Amino acid sequence: MSRNRPRTHRRSRTLLLALSTALAVSAGTAAALPGDSPAAAAARVDNPYAGAKPYVNPEWSAKAAAEPGGRAVSDQPTGVWLDRIAAIKGGNGKMGLRQHLDAALQQRADLVQLVIYNLPGRDCAALASNGELGPTEIDRYKKEYIDPIAAILADGKYANLRIVTTVEIDSLPNLVTNTSGRPTATPQCDVMKANGNYVKGVGYALGKLGDAPNVYNYVDAGHHGWIGWDDNFAASAQVFRQAATAEGATVDDVHGFITNTANYSALKEDNVRIGDTVAGRSVRESKWVDWNRYTDELSFAQAFRNQLVSTGFRSDIGMLIDTSRNGWGGSARPTGPGPTYDVNAYVEAGRYDRRIHIGNWCNQAGAGLGERPKAAPEPGIDAYVWMKPPGESDGSSKAIPNDEGKGFDRMCDPTYEGNPRNNHNKSGALPDAPVSGHWFSAQFQQLLKNAHPAL
Ligand code: BGC
């Protein structure tokens, strides 16, 4: 593994890209500089999204385009989820990793977004995205999952693609928030903390994938409605540091972090700011905010970036925010701040996020598409991305037999009354949803309808 790799200045990369694109156009081939060594052509830039043309996943794109009105967004780049060992090779009508990378070259794209998502004992605080590997199967994770992916990414053919890898969604913060000592603990998360396989798996993935100079690792960092509380904030950064220095990885293998993946937290709550005080009470005292330090994802991501740097990550890390489903537009969107006679009335009437409780995560009723993918939108933010492909379910509303290891989590059942992780509220999930990852037409329709910015 290479350490302390130099980062070239953004401008030199842009120049190189312009040059390679010009060459590719004149030669009629995918971007590549003749005679240039792959490593030299692909030296890391500060923000891989700056000036890049991201890959459009044709599989997602076709499903989106087949929906009424779907063509408004079907050319947007979305994440390619490697959610099982078989996804690397593909088959049964599904594209494998090489096919995606080849398709990216054909599109003359220069950035591909992958989701590394197959940890042992996956999704320890929920059931809907349980995976194929049992809690102890760390060796299979390394040899049958990470190693083959790393080998493909290291192929010189792909050296001019910037490959963004978002590493293990919704995993590490569970070790802080859902283990013994907390009211939200689950036995499965205790097991993953005790055996160390989340930490080892993430460390191994970062180190191995980070060997390719054109790979940009972004570690999943939950969202503000998970680690934005004082008890969880610094402790989560510590666990990320622990993972980033496990199994041969170093903090130099981490280009940044991604927040809000597959979640629904609003990007900016203009009507509910953390400093607002109403009738003598801080919004932090409201039922909705419940002492969190953040009311929205942007303020959280920027603050958490600083926390990560002070915990030992590089000072030039960048954040990604998944805005695929956090738009909360449509007719229910508040147009201004709520009344000021009572802090709860103020927050309830002003907040864009219409969830029943911020711990709700499955196929949320009322959600809309958020900001379209965009490079460098705000300080410290490398991009708004659509890592969770809009229209793909978070989990089934009732038990559905499947061969993917997916369980039935009642947080996806609209009749469920909740658990400690959503403070015993209704789940807020849409009815009739398929197994996680499967196409959910009704949800996609709703996301289009409630898009903000509107389509
Ligand atoms: C599922 C994955 C799927 C991903 C993207 C996750 O919830 O568990 O199988 O690939 O969502 O839709």
Side-chain angles (χ1 to χ4, degrees):
M1 189 183 46
S2 44
R3 282 155 216 259
N4 295 316
R5 269 173 251 98
R7 292 182 180 204
T8 56
H9 192 271
R10 192 177 303 169
R11 197 168 300 143
S12 57
R13 169 69 188 180
T14 313
L15 196 70
L16 198 62
L17 269 180
L19 190 63
S20 66
T21 309
L23 280 169
V25 169
S26 65
T29 61
L33 284 174
D36 203 358
S37 84
R44 281 197 188 92
V45 294
D46 178 43
N47 179 358
Y49 287 84
K53 179 178 186 251
Y55 168 59
V56 177
N57 179 349
E59 293 185 321
W60 176 81
S61 181
K63 285 182 205 142
E67 296 283 346
R71 284 189 190 275
V73 294
S74 59
D75 61 351
Q76 292 292 346
T78 51
V80 172
W81 287 62
L82 300 170
D83 63 347
R84 69 202 83 172
I85 291 164
I88 303 169
K89 228 173 171 262
N92 286 331
K94 294 270 285 172
M95 294 166 77
L97 177 55
R98 274 191 184 278
Q99 279 171 291
H100 280 295
L101 298 174
D102 291 341
L105 293 176
Q106 250 162 28
Q107 283 179 17
R108 305 228 174 112
D110 50 28
L111 182 143
V112 175
Q113 307 176 100
L114 304 179
V115 182
I116 304 298
Y117 191 56
N118 201 29
L119 274 181
R122 193 174 70 190
D123 210 9
C124 66
L127 303 167
S129 280
N130 288 165
E132 64 186 348
L133 298 181
T136 60
E137 293 192 281
I138 186 72
D139 290 335
R140 287 191 67 203
Y141 179 76
K142 292 179 179 178
K143 295 197 179 74
E144 296 176 42
Y145 181 69
I146 295 298
D147 289 355
I149 294 173
I152 293 170
L153 300 188
D155 186 334
K157 190 177 169 190
Y158 308 123
N160 286 308
L161 291 172
R162 300 171 185 179
I163 300 174
V164 166
T165 49
T166 56
V167 177
E168 296 297 354
I169 309 310
D170 290 355
S171 56
L172 296 172
N174 281 309
L175 304 178
V176 175
T177 67
N178 294 325
T179 48
S180 286
R182 298 290 185 105
T184 49
T186 70
Q188 293 82 354
C189 291
D190 275 337
V191 167
M192 299 321 298
K193 186 173 178 179
N195 70 19
N197 284 343
Y198 275 9
V199 166
K200 286 181 210 161
V202 169
Y204 189 80
L206 293 172
K208 269 278 161 176
L209 301 171
D211 281 347
N214 54 327
V215 167
Y216 296 80
N217 285 319
Y218 289 84
V219 181
D220 184 75
H223 61 103
H224 88 277
W226 188 358
I227 59 179
W229 282 274
D230 288 349
D231 288 354
N232 307 340
F233 193 73
S236 295
Q238 287 294 347
V239 170
F240 297 151
R241 169 84 200 256
Q242 192 194 350
T245 51
E247 301 284 306
T250 76
V251 291
D252 293 327
D253 289 309
V254 177
H255 204 80
F257 289 78
I258 180 165
T259 81
N260 208 40
T261 310
N263 207 273
Y264 296 86
S265 290
L267 186 65
K268 298 178 190 176
E269 289 282 11
D270 301 319
N271 303 326
V272 184
R273 300 187 191 258
I274 203 66
D276 290 353
T277 297
V278 173
R281 293 174 67 197
S282 158
V283 295
R284 293 188 64 221
E285 298 178 57
S286 68
K287 217 172 141 221
W288 171 253
V289 180
D290 191 22
W291 298 105
N292 199 307
R293 291 268 173 207
Y294 307 91
T295 59
D296 61 27
E297 216 42 34
L298 178 59
S299 62
F300 163 73
Q302 290 174 325
F304 197 52
R305 183 186 172 284
N306 292 337
Q307 180 69 28
L308 290 159
V309 171
S310 68
T311 308
F313 287 95
R314 294 176 61 119
S315 58
D316 56 0
I317 54 169
M319 307 298 284
L320 305 177
I321 301 177
D322 188 344
T323 56
S324 58
R325 309 182 302 179
N326 70 349
W328 299 105
S331 54
R333 185 179 178 87
T335 51
T340 53
Y341 67 87
D342 169 72
V343 75
N344 279 315
Y346 176 80
V347 172
E348 288 310 299
R351 62 180 168 100
Y352 300 138
D353 186 335
R354 303 316 299 165
R355 280 181 289 184
I356 297 167
H357 186 270
I358 203 155
N360 287 352
W361 51 266
C362 197
N363 301 324
Q364 290 300 286
L369 300 167
E371 288 280 342
R372 309 302 103 82
K374 189 177 176 192
E378 296 278 352
I381 312 297
D382 280 355
Y384 296 150
V385 296
W386 284 9
M387 211 51 76
K388 173 77 182 181
E392 293 187 6
S393 174
D394 296 313
S396 57
S397 316
K398 52 183 189 323
I400 299 178
N402 65 85
D403 60 4
E404 301 173 30
K406 306 274 171 64
F408 166 47
D409 196 299
R410 289 207 63 208
M411 286 296 286
C412 303
D413 169 357
T415 69
Y416 184 47
E417 302 285 343
N419 60 40
R421 283 174 298 285
N422 77 338
N423 208 13
H424 299 281
N425 281 281
K426 297 275 290 248
S427 71
L430 293 172
D432 304 320
V435 163
S436 67
H438 292 217
W439 191 252
F440 187 11
S441 173
Q443 185 194 37
F444 188 75
Q445 292 299 323
Q446 188 204 252
L447 291 169
L448 290 177
K449 190 169 134 231
N450 292 338
H452 187 90
L455 297 167

